[in-house]
């Protein structure tokens, strides 16, 4: 579908990848942009519709779906990374990460699927991660939540196909945002990732491998777990 002239809702729109999506949507001529964030005062962009939204709040999601009944494209971008291990980490923190990165997009899809269906089908774009395909000792909670988000995306694609809704998974390695500001590694610009993701909507693609890292990790999925992990460590220089 064409982004030009479309009505789009972006979660986590106040910074990083979310802000890049808003900028790219404006450049491509989106008719209306709902910029959703927990702190709407942090959305400093003219010409957008600011929307108060914490994706862990069922009541706020319900209110957003009621307020944005004209949405044709839903971009599930909001997420967190706590650096929590699964075996030894704080269980409440693990649950918070899963609630944000998996249940948040799930609730958004469930709330907006009827909206998209009534508006012609439209598209859903889920910002996931290459960490949906591998993990590290300090990233267990994040990787588990993103693996679940990948499965959610594939399932939603099948379930929503009858109503004509395109569902896109976006995978990437390091993006130059606050989340990874303390890590020295090659990073792609948020604008480049957002542009590639919107290209997928316009070309009808189901998946975006946003950088070389995502392509490298996915290429190793056929390897046994030990070999795959060793290759990733070698690529990281560890």
């Amino acid at each position: 579908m064409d982004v030009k002239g479309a009505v789009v809702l972006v979660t986590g729109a106040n910074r990083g990848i979310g802000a890049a999506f808003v900028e790219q949507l404006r450049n491509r001529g989106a008719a209306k942009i709902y910029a959703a964030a927990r702190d709407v005062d942090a959305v400093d962009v003219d010409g957008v519709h600011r929307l108060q939204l914490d994706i862990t709040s069922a009541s706020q999601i319900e209110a957003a779906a009621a307020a944005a009944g004209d949405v044709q494209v839903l971009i599930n971008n909001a997420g967190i990374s706590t650096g929590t291990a699964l075996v030894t980490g704080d269980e409440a923190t693990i649950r918070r990460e899963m609630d944000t990165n998996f249940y948040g997009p799930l609730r958004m899809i469930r709330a907006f699927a009827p909206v998209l269906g009534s508006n012609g089908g439209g598209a859903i774009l889920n910002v996931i991660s290459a960490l949906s395909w591998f993990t590290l000792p300090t990233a267990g909670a994040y990787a588990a939540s993103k693996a679940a988000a990948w499965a959610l995306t594939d399932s939603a694609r099948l379930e929503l196909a009858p109503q004509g809704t395109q569902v896109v998974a976006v995978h990437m390695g390091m993006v130059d945002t606050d989340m990874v500001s303390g890590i020295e590694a090659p990073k792609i610009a948020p604008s480049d990732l957002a542009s590639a993701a919107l290209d997928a909507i316009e070309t009808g693609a189901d998946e975006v491998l946003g950088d070389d890292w995502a392509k490298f990790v996915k290429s190793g999925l056929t390897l046994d777990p030990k070999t795959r992990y060793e290759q990733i460590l070698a690529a990281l220089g560890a």
Side-chain angles (χ1 to χ4, degrees), residues 110-121:
R110 289 168 64 95
F112 277 91
V115 174
L116 296 172
S118 66
N119 292 329

Side-chain angles (χ1 to χ4, degrees), residues 173-176 180-188 213 235-236:
M174 294 286 187
V175 184
D176 193 8
V180 295
S181 60
I183 300 175
E184 291 295 330
K187 302 170 186 176
I188 63 170
W213 181 247
L236 290 171

Side-chain angles (χ1 to χ4, degrees), residues 6-43:
V7 179
V8 187
L9 188 151
V10 183
T11 67
N14 56 309
R15 61 178 183 170
I17 297 171
F21 270 117
V22 171
E23 179 183 7
Q24 290 289 323
L25 288 165
R26 294 180 73 200
N27 292 342
R28 294 187 185 217
K32 188 176 184 181
I33 303 169
Y34 290 99
R38 288 181 297 177
D39 180 11
V40 291
D41 292 335
V43 179

Side-chain angles (χ1 to χ4, degrees), residues 15 79-82 101 142 175-183:
R15 61 178 183 170
I80 61 171
S81 176
T82 65
N101 296 344
Y142 184 79
V175 184
D176 193 8
T177 65
D178 292 343
M179 185 179 289
V180 295
S181 60
I183 300 175

Side-chain angles (χ1 to χ4, degrees), residues 4 58 85 93 101 117 119 126 149 187 190 199 214 229:
K4 183 177 181 180
T93 304
N101 296 344
N119 292 329
N126 290 338
K187 302 170 186 176
D199 285 347
Y229 183 65

